[in-house]
Amino acid sequence: MSLFAVENLTVQFGNVFVVTGVSFEIAKGETFALVGESGSGKSMTALAALNLLPYNAVMKTNSMRLQNEDLAQLSENDWCKIRGRKIAIIFQDPIASLNPVMTIGAQIAEVLKLHFQLSKNEIKQRVIELLQQVELPNAAQRVNDYPHQLSGGQRQRVMIAIALAGKPDLLIADEPTTALDVTIQAQILELLKNIQAQTGMALWLISHDLALVASIAKRVAVMQNGKIVETGNAQNLFQNPQHPYTQKLVAALPSMQSCKNKAITVKPALLQVKNFHCHYPIRKGIFKRVVDYVRAVDGVSFTLEKGKTLALVGESGCGKTTLGKALLHLIPSSGGEVFLDGIALHELTGETLRKQRAALQIIFQDPFSSMNPRMLIGEIIAEGLKALHPETSATQRELRVRKLLKRVELPEEAMYRYPHEFSGGQRQRICIARALAVEPKVIICDEPTSALDVSVQAQIIELLKMLQREQGMSYLFITHDLGVVAEIADNVAVMFKGKIVEQGAVKQVLTAPQHSYTQKLLAAVPKSI
């Protein structure tokens, strides 16, 4: 017997249909997954199921039922009794979904006050129980914390606690692990499975991560351009996809096995980092005396060879991005030596350092926030040329920008548009073009594919590999996705609490890890489809 069922759901904005003729059902206690790329209509379908669509959206459906209740006929007052109580949702971005000026305890209590008749003490006790249920450490002490005081994984646990507070029959999880590290992702998935087993609720998972879906879902529907193109048992669907779009998604998955065929070769060193530190003082007391240091990067050493890719992997907070920015002198370092093609960068200052900046560039994690929204794409790409090669004329810069856009497979007319007019994958291509503009020897890639769909991720990885083959540049590739590491890296360094605990050829590290932390990372990777 189905718990939730929708028949012929359509959502449109004006003349644009974002969901068209969608039908599916979810049984009690079942884990159902809706998968597809960004813009396919997954989240709009979930918002329609909660009657939370934007004001200018028009929804039509033959039927939408929760058990024996016709949801399509409910008033807004009736919906307030359903949302959070019978159907709850975990949104994709917890920091944007949580109220920054309310404690996490107060935000969980809101649900309890709305749906249950409980005393003040009962609410307080229930809030602590929920935080314990989602395995937040020191729950009784953390109820008075604010969202900014928690890590990404902890904030997602709070979101789950809020969703569970109403004891829902159906829990919608909209990309609940997209930006989380592989170990935190594994913890969140295990948590959801345990809670589902305890409560018997149904779980509707929305994701573009097929490996994740295969590890948790029993039944899957694949969505493309607002329509469901294939539905079936998860194992059968991924092992034998019938629709061309499903086949394309499965083929685009990065494989941990791809590193096994990589030959181990040695090339001349290009970037050498020796005993590198980034320490930040902890000050306390009236006079703000230094009592200790945060050792974000603590004695790191590695070598990046010419024409090769070194992947720097580890969880959020381990110091990967701090290391990358400090190597570029975007933030100060506390000591150590950095040699780029024999030049001691740690000894340079002022104009001599500025002249070396062209040799070392970066691609940031979020392409949209790393571009000036008021500048045209052509101006953004040419900015580095103007700063680091002022001798180039405007005509030369324009010609270079056109060539770079073609190089990253974007049309030349893109130079006359703004960042908001492009998709996430296109914006990342623009950032790659900007990094290439000054002809660097090394590009630091800081999580450049973490928020991209699997097919777009595959395109960006292939583009980076092609550019490396043709131009011989080297990449320091910062990531927590070991599947991507297997696809793109020649060597890998594993970072934990500011230190590199293991490094070597990617084939050796991923197939025969020696350190317990590396083994933990690999154990948390969802099994390949």
Side-chain angles (χ1 to χ4, degrees):
M1 179 180 173
S2 68
L3 169 71
F4 176 82
V6 61
E7 182 184 344
N8 197 29
L9 172 69
T10 297
V11 178
Q12 64 185 99
F13 292 83
N15 295 323
V16 178
F17 287 81
V18 293
V19 178
T20 308
V22 164
S23 301
F24 62 89
E25 60 181 44
I26 304 172
K28 185 177 181 181
E30 180 186 23
T31 300
F32 169 80
L34 190 60
V35 304
E37 295 174 296
S38 295
S40 61
K42 306 185 303 294
S43 294
M44 279 296 166
T45 302
L47 292 176
L50 286 161
N51 197 38
L52 287 175
L53 288 168
Y55 75 95
N56 57 337
V58 177
M59 182 185 83
K60 296 177 184 177
T61 179
N62 291 355
S63 173
M64 186 186 293
R65 306 189 72 84
L66 181 68
Q67 293 176 325
N68 296 320
E69 196 161 14
D70 187 354
L71 300 179
Q73 304 302 318
L74 295 182
S75 66
E76 182 54 32
N77 284 338
D78 291 332
W79 266 110
C80 288
K81 298 172 185 176
I82 296 285
R83 284 193 292 260
R85 181 65 182 89
K86 293 184 178 181
I87 307 177
I89 186 167
I90 305 166
F91 289 105
Q92 180 173 351
D93 184 359
I95 194 63
S97 305
L98 293 169
N99 190 324
V101 297
M102 287 177 67
T103 65
I104 60 172
Q107 295 185 61
I108 299 170
E110 272 190 323
V111 181
L112 299 172
K113 291 174 184 176
L114 183 63
H115 294 296
F116 302 98
Q117 298 295 320
L118 298 173
S119 68
K120 199 171 183 179
N121 285 336
E122 287 173 329
I123 289 174
K124 183 178 179 180
Q125 188 56 41
R126 179 63 179 145
V127 168
I128 294 172
E129 287 174 3
L130 284 163
L131 289 175
Q132 289 172 339
Q133 188 177 11
V134 299
E135 300 172 14
L136 187 74
N138 304 315
Q141 289 74 45
R142 311 282 322 244
V143 290
N144 295 318
D145 283 357
Y146 290 88
H148 73 271
Q149 295 175 282
L150 307 178
S151 69
Q154 289 173 333
R155 285 194 288 262
Q156 197 61 287
R157 289 172 189 271
V158 172
M159 286 295 299
I160 294 171
I162 293 171
L164 293 174
K167 300 180 180 178
D169 300 314
L170 174 63
L171 177 62
I172 303 172
D174 186 5
E175 303 274 13
T177 63
T178 294
L180 300 181
D181 302 320
V182 64
T183 50
I184 305 298
Q185 173 180 284
Q187 292 169 18
I188 295 297
L189 289 179
E190 190 61 32
L191 174 64
L192 288 173
K193 287 193 282 188
N194 290 341
I195 292 170
Q196 189 179 21
Q198 293 167 15
T199 63
M201 70 180 181
L203 178 62
W204 172 2
L205 178 66
I206 296 171
S207 182
H208 63 251
D209 188 333
L210 302 194
L212 180 149
V213 167
S215 70
I216 191 173
K218 298 296 183 186
R219 201 161 51 86
V220 177
V222 181
M223 203 165 183
Q224 180 191 27
N225 298 330
K227 298 178 181 179
I228 289 178
V229 296
E230 188 168 357
T231 307
N233 173 275
Q235 187 175 357
N236 294 339
L237 186 142
F238 288 135
Q239 290 183 354
N240 187 27
Q242 300 299 306
H243 194 275
Y245 178 68
T246 314
Q247 293 169 354
K248 173 192 166 189
L249 290 180
V250 172
L253 272 173
S255 172
M256 291 290 290
Q257 306 304 313
S258 59
C259 66
K260 291 185 176 180
N261 298 322
K262 290 187 177 180
I264 299 175
T265 60
V266 179
K267 292 187 177 182
L270 177 61
L271 178 68
Q272 292 177 291
V273 178
K274 299 179 181 179
N275 198 29
F276 196 76
H277 295 79
C278 289
H279 293 174
Y280 301 103
I282 300 173
R283 301 178 185 273
K284 288 187 177 180
I286 297 174
F287 299 105
K288 298 297 180 183
R289 292 193 176 96
V290 176
V291 296
D292 202 353
Y293 289 88
V294 174
R295 292 166 174 80
V297 179
D298 198 18
V300 164
S301 300
F302 63 85
T303 298
L304 174 59
E305 298 170 19
K306 290 184 178 180
K308 283 195 173 187
T309 298
L310 171 67
L312 189 63
V313 304
E315 296 174 316
S316 293
C318 71
K320 307 186 302 294
T321 297
T322 299
L323 173 59
K325 289 181 177 179
L327 291 175
L328 288 160
H329 287 255
L330 297 179
I331 57 175
S333 62
S334 306
E337 299 176 322
V338 181
F339 297 92
L340 179 62
D341 215 5
I343 299 171
L345 295 185
H346 58 282
E347 296 177 353
L348 303 182
T349 57
E351 183 63 19
T352 54
L353 175 62
R354 192 188 71 83
K355 288 179 179 178
Q356 292 300 321
R357 285 194 179 277
L360 200 62
Q361 291 292 298
I362 187 168
I363 302 167
F364 291 102
Q365 179 173 355
D366 183 356
F368 190 63
S369 64
S370 65
M371 289 191 282
N372 189 328
R374 294 181 175 85
M375 290 176 68
L376 294 170
I377 297 306
E379 295 171 330
I380 290 170
I381 297 173
E383 194 173 21
L385 284 169
K386 289 176 71 176
L388 299 174
H389 295 293
E391 71 280 1
T392 57
S393 66
T395 303
Q396 288 173 320
R397 288 196 296 270
E398 182 179 338
L399 183 61
R400 176 73 173 147
V401 168
R402 291 181 184 276
K403 286 182 178 178
L404 286 165
L405 286 170
K406 187 177 180 181
R407 200 87 194 82
V408 297
E409 299 170 2
L410 288 174
E412 288 184 13
E413 55 268 25
M415 65 189 295
Y416 302 112
R417 294 160 63 187
Y418 290 93
H420 72 271
E421 298 180 71
F422 296 87
S423 68
Q426 289 172 324
R427 286 197 285 259
Q428 201 58 288
R429 288 174 184 272
I430 292 164
C431 288
I432 292 171
R434 176 174 61 182
L436 291 172
V438 292
E439 298 181 344
K441 296 176 182 177
V442 176
I443 296 181
I444 297 175
C445 306
D446 187 9
E447 301 272 15
T449 63
S450 64
L452 301 179
D453 298 321
V454 64
S455 56
V456 179
Q457 174 181 274
Q459 293 168 15
I460 295 298
I461 291 171
E462 192 52 45
L463 173 62
L464 289 171
K465 287 161 73 173
M466 179 193 71
L467 292 170
Q468 186 176 56
R469 286 192 302 269
E470 295 180 359
Q471 297 184 213
M473 69 187 67
S474 301
Y475 298 133
L476 177 61
F477 200 95
I478 298 170
T479 186
H480 62 253
D481 189 331
L482 296 184
V484 171
V485 170
E487 288 280 353
I488 196 169
D490 300 291
N491 300 299
V492 59
V494 181
M495 201 165 178
F496 180 57
K497 293 184 177 179
K499 298 177 182 290
I500 289 179
V501 296
E502 184 169 359
Q503 58 181 311
V506 65
K507 181 180 178 180
Q508 294 174 338
V509 175
L510 296 190
T511 58
Q514 301 301 305
H515 195 275
S516 58
Y517 178 69
T518 314
Q519 294 167 358
K520 176 187 172 187
L521 285 179
L522 286 164
V525 177
K527 302 303 177 187
S528 297
I529 292 172

